[in-house]
Amino acid sequence: MNALPGPATLDAEETLDPAEWGDVRTLAHRMIDDSIGYLRGVRERPVWQQMPVEVKASFERPVPHAPTPLDEVYRQVTENLMPYPMGNIHPRFWSWYMGSGNFTGALADFLAAVQGSNLGGGNHAAASLDIQVVNWCKEMIGFPSSASGTLVSGGSMANLIALIVARNVKAGVNVREDGVAAIEKPLRFYASDQVHSCHRKAMEALGLGNKALRRIPSDADLRIDIAALRAAIAEDRAAGNQPACLIATAGTVNTGAIDDLEALADFAAEEALWLHVDGCIGALLAIAPANADRVSGIERADSVALDPHKWLHAPFEVGCVLIRDAVAHRGAFAVTQEYLESTPRGLASAEWLYELGLQTTRGFRALKVWMALKEHGVEKFGRLIDQNIAQAHHLTGLIEQEPLFELVAPTSINIVCFRYSPKGMGDAARKALNIEIMLRLQEEGIAALSDTTVHGEHCLRVAINNHRTRREDLDILVRETLRLGALLAP
Ligand SMILES: *Cc1c(COP(=O)(O)O)cnc(C)c1O
């Protein structure tokens, strides 16, 4: 038998807590003060700047063995990290598609980490709050309260979870036990050619393969062409495939186009398809008074993916998936483990949230959504969505007035696709010129845009999902793009 540890060993027991809590208090307060200054001054800094080589090199050093005082660690953060952000919290960041965060949400992430609860489930307040935020998401988009749902890392995971449930329901066999090889008629999913790339990854992860997701042509407004959809489904049935799921997009990432959700809900019912709505961009239009009608019909879907880290501006990460059929949702993920049996009372007496998705341990991402919604009220978030759409239409107006600019896609909601287009310039030269303008705008710290190709036409893309943007920022963009265009055009 081993000897019991003696008193000397006990004395040597260690913890990560500070020896003196008083010592960290001053530094912690300074971090909060600095954070307030950082956000207050964001407009004065460049949107983005290239890291100097020494800064980059600092991230290539090996794991530290010896301790460093926390003040020194924080000094390294303030010097090497904070000045070189992606930039999406800046008022003139409009690249790709992401939210701009908020301070209350950041405080909430801190508090959530301090409380430290695991949202795999259990009977504790964080789990009840997490469930409440999912219920609020249902309420915001008009989904029935009997539906199920869960918070996940973002829209990609939300879409994946929904498509797993759709596949299992439509497979006609027990996919969980027997795998996709047991499916008799090959399943087919449908979406427009504007569908987000995460659906491709989902189809691959589902074992159905990329080809099982048929891309249906989009019309001039970049919405799914329903006649073409109908034809594709008839063709698949004739070929012995099983049409299973229709993925509608409420707000495409390229141009913000919204598929006709009412028509697609009717169509899915006629054809007995699972209707999933990728609402990562647009589902929350449902709370925006001037634009809610654009997503009417979303409440008829079998499942919806939405993204609070986009138009609710929650700090990353938080996405949400809602599934109308709660039994089907749990049926896709529930497992009973001997080490996770429920008890009649106590900590294990509430629902296991890990049975609603793929993670076991889950972070407490609900608090940042909860605190910001409480602080501002949902109506303000709705007005901010309307504000971004009005700003996009303001920019569209400026582009239409300027002969050197060309609008490349119709502006639906908050995404504007345009290019600098001097008369008589060939496609390749114009593309190179626009990319150079975009890079100079980034490198000079003026604005962050991205680019894309819509129905074969290359363009710059301004996605205004930003509560800090003002119209004057868009005026600056127009002025600076014209300046750079004149400077760089041959
Ligand atoms: C952003 C987006 C996604 C992916 O969401 P993440 O939160 O980035 O994982 C999916 N679909 C659409 C339409 C999106 O805009």
Side-chain angles (χ1 to χ4, degrees):
M1 208 180 106
N2 292 333
L4 288 171
T9 327
L10 279 177
D11 285 348
E13 281 176 327
E14 292 193 292
T15 168
L16 295 174
D17 284 338
E20 270 308 324
W21 282 100
D23 294 347
V24 292
R25 182 187 303 269
T26 314
L27 179 62
H29 287 182
R30 183 147 63 81
M31 286 183 193
I32 295 282
D33 285 342
D34 291 352
S35 301
I36 290 170
Y38 189 79
L39 287 179
R40 184 191 277 151
V42 64
R43 176 173 282 282
E44 271 43 79
R45 292 195 301 275
V47 177
W48 176 84
Q49 55 182 334
Q50 177 65 50
M51 277 176 273
V53 281
E54 342 49 281
V55 169
K56 188 111 204 237
S58 74
F59 299 116
E60 284 154 14
R61 293 192 192 123
V63 65
H65 287 267
T68 308
L70 187 56
D71 320 44
E72 166 56 19
V73 175
Y74 179 56
R75 190 193 62 74
Q76 292 174 16
V77 167
T78 55
E79 277 182 16
N80 293 341
L81 180 83
M82 298 306 275
Y84 309 103
M86 181 175 216
N88 52 295
I89 66 167
H90 193 283
R92 286 190 299 279
F93 183 97
W94 306 300
S95 292
W96 307 296
Y97 202 97
M98 53 194 85
S100 41
N102 72 86
F103 186 55
T104 302
L107 291 173
D109 261 354
F110 173 72
L111 295 172
V114 168
Q115 202 213 29
S117 297
N118 182 337
L119 272 288
N123 175 19
H124 54 91
S128 298
L129 189 150
D130 184 276
I131 293 168
Q132 184 175 33
V133 168
V134 172
N135 285 334
W136 288 354
C137 289
K138 294 177 206 165
E139 220 178 306
M140 285 189 281
I141 70 158
F143 233 51
S145 60
S146 58
S148 180
T150 186
L151 299 181
V152 289
S153 56
S156 304
M157 278 298 143
N159 282 308
L160 173 65
I161 296 295
L163 298 191
I164 290 173
V165 182
R167 178 201 61 187
N168 291 9
V169 166
K170 292 293 177 185
V173 296
N174 186 346
V175 180
R176 291 192 67 191
E177 284 301 320
D178 301 324
V180 288
I183 298 174
E184 279 155 24
K185 285 175 156 192
L187 298 181
R188 289 289 175 264
F189 286 41
Y190 306 84
S192 88
D193 56 14
Q194 301 296 305
V195 70
H196 190 273
S197 60
C198 71
H199 295 280
R200 175 193 172 129
K201 289 201 213 172
M203 294 302 285
E204 293 168 4
L206 258 54
L208 297 174
N210 180 39
K211 284 187 190 156
L213 173 58
R214 292 198 57 174
R215 275 75 164 179
I216 307 299
S218 49
D219 63 17
D221 288 328
L222 287 306
R223 293 150 49 115
I224 193 167
D225 177 337
I226 297 181
L229 172 65
R230 196 180 292 278
I233 286 175
E235 188 184 289
D236 273 327
R237 290 202 198 281
N241 296 325
Q242 193 200 332
C245 174
L246 172 57
I247 302 167
T249 303
T252 60
V253 70
N254 253 346
T255 70
I258 299 169
D259 288 338
D260 184 341
L261 301 181
E262 295 284 9
L264 293 179
D266 291 342
F267 182 80
E270 263 169 53
E271 295 277 350
L273 300 172
W274 180 283
L275 177 64
H276 172 66
V277 176
D278 179 349
C280 288
I281 289 177
L284 287 163
L285 287 166
I287 63 171
N291 288 283
D293 57 343
R294 293 175 187 266
V295 289
S296 78
I298 196 168
E299 70 290 347
R300 296 169 62 192
D302 293 297
S303 54
V304 176
L306 61 137
D307 231 354
H309 65 203
K310 287 179 174 169
W311 246 337
L312 292 184
H313 302 291
F316 306 136
E317 309 166 332
V318 56
C320 178
V321 60
L322 300 176
I323 313 267
R324 175 178 303 277
D325 179 344
V327 174
H329 185 193
R330 198 164 279 274
F333 300 103
V335 278
T336 314
Q337 294 296 343
E338 62 282 12
Y339 51 85
L340 282 170
E341 285 207 10
S342 295
T343 51
R345 298 192 317 282
L347 188 50
S349 65
E351 119 179 80
W352 287 119
L353 300 174
Y354 81 92
E355 296 197 323
L356 299 173
L358 292 165
Q359 287 180 258
T360 307
T361 295
R362 294 176 64 241
F364 186 14
R365 44 173 64 98
L367 187 60
K368 55 195 164 198
V369 179
W370 191 92
M371 281 181 65
L373 276 170
K374 285 243 172 185
E375 180 192 14
H376 297 289
V378 70
E379 286 174 15
K380 177 156 181 189
F381 285 96
R383 292 196 302 276
L384 287 170
I385 291 172
D386 281 340
Q387 177 172 297
N388 280 167
I389 295 172
Q391 288 164 338
H393 286 271
H394 168 74
L395 176 62
T396 303
L398 298 176
I399 287 163
E400 284 171 336
Q401 277 163 32
E402 171 51 61
L404 281 163
F405 286 150
E406 183 188 347
L407 197 67
V408 172
T411 300
S412 163
I413 44 174
N414 58 335
I415 300 177
V416 181
C417 292
F418 77 106
R419 63 191 168 200
Y420 185 79
S421 184
K423 285 238 157 12
M425 188 177 268
D427 286 353
R430 188 180 52 214
K431 179 172 177 179
L433 173 61
N434 276 274
I435 290 174
E436 188 58 27
I437 292 172
M438 172 178 80
L439 296 179
R440 297 283 182 111
L441 286 169
Q442 285 172 17
E443 286 167 345
E444 293 181 23
I446 299 164
L449 318 182
S450 53
D451 65 338
T452 190
T453 300
V454 179
H455 284 178
E457 301 292 324
H458 177 262
C459 57
L460 300 178
R461 181 177 159 286
V462 183
I464 313 172
N465 187 111
N466 193 320
H467 62 88
R468 298 193 176 95
T469 298
R470 301 176 189 149
R471 280 175 192 234
E472 69 196 58
D473 292 311
L474 298 163
D475 300 342
I476 291 171
L477 172 67
V478 165
R479 198 178 69 219
E480 293 294 303
T481 304
L482 287 171
R483 175 182 66 80
L484 287 166
L487 183 77
L488 298 166

